[in-house]
Amino acid sequence: MSATNTTHPTNTTHRTHPTEAVPARFRDLLAGEWMKLWSLRSTPWAFGVGAVAVLGINLNASYADYRNYPRYSEGIRELFVPIWAMRDAFTLGGAMVFMLATGAVGALVIVGEYGTGQIRTTFAAVPDRRAVIAAKTLVLAGVMLVYGVLVAGVSFAATQAVLSGRDVGMSIDHPGAAAAVTASALLAPVCALVGFGIGALLRHTATTIVTLTGVLLLLPALVDGRSRWSATFLHALPQGAWKRLTEVGDSPVPVEFPWTAGGAWTVYAVWALGAVAVALVAVHRRDV
């Protein structure tokens, strides 16, 4: 009778744990949006060309006043500081270029991803669309704030240095000067966020740029402001708010429908926050 060897099989069963997706940390989203912003070829060009154009326009105005100042009448000389000196620091032409350049960068931050289809990859990796938009908003606003401070600060310093050759330059501690520089600096993030919101809503480059140009530049030119309603409409636009905030001194021409500085700062805030809200709703509710 042969002995039967009974072997007990070794328990080799291994428990497998499904790989769990690790949610992206918000700082990782910020880092990703930072890299995507600077990976756009248009970003450094828009920043560089915009700054050169703005400074060139403003410096040209200050040099013109420097050359022509001896021929100005006594009335103009009495009002030159601070009214004309500040207008040289931040001319309307320079502001219009500044608004369009920064608004275009803000639009391309979101439209560029839709155009290339990269937005699908982004939302596949991070399903929380609100977090993605929040990260884009913070990176865009932060970069544009620094850019606005640099351009506005250099413009003010350079133009006033030119005018100082005629002893009509202003210092930053002149009443109203710091507020005007701040308003011009904040114009960059405000217009960039407006472009961002329009881009998220329209998702087409050409349509977005045309709409952005209409909102920031054409609408103020089409309204004369001679009635209370048209004046209120102008005040409610970013360009109108900027004009009010860069006004210093008492103008010899009375304003029929004046606007308060507090109201102008409110317009800045409403446009920026409203644009972000539009982007959040548009991206969250619509398919990619």
Side-chain angles (χ1 to χ4, degrees), residues 25 87 173 282:
R25 295 172 297 182
R87 290 179 183 177
D173 58 356

Side-chain angles (χ1 to χ4, degrees), residues 33 36 108-119 122 136:
E33 294 305 327
K36 283 191 284 188
L108 292 176
V109 164
I110 186 73
V111 175
E113 282 202 67
Y114 277 107
T116 60
Q118 186 181 3
I119 196 72
T122 300
K136 287 181 179 293

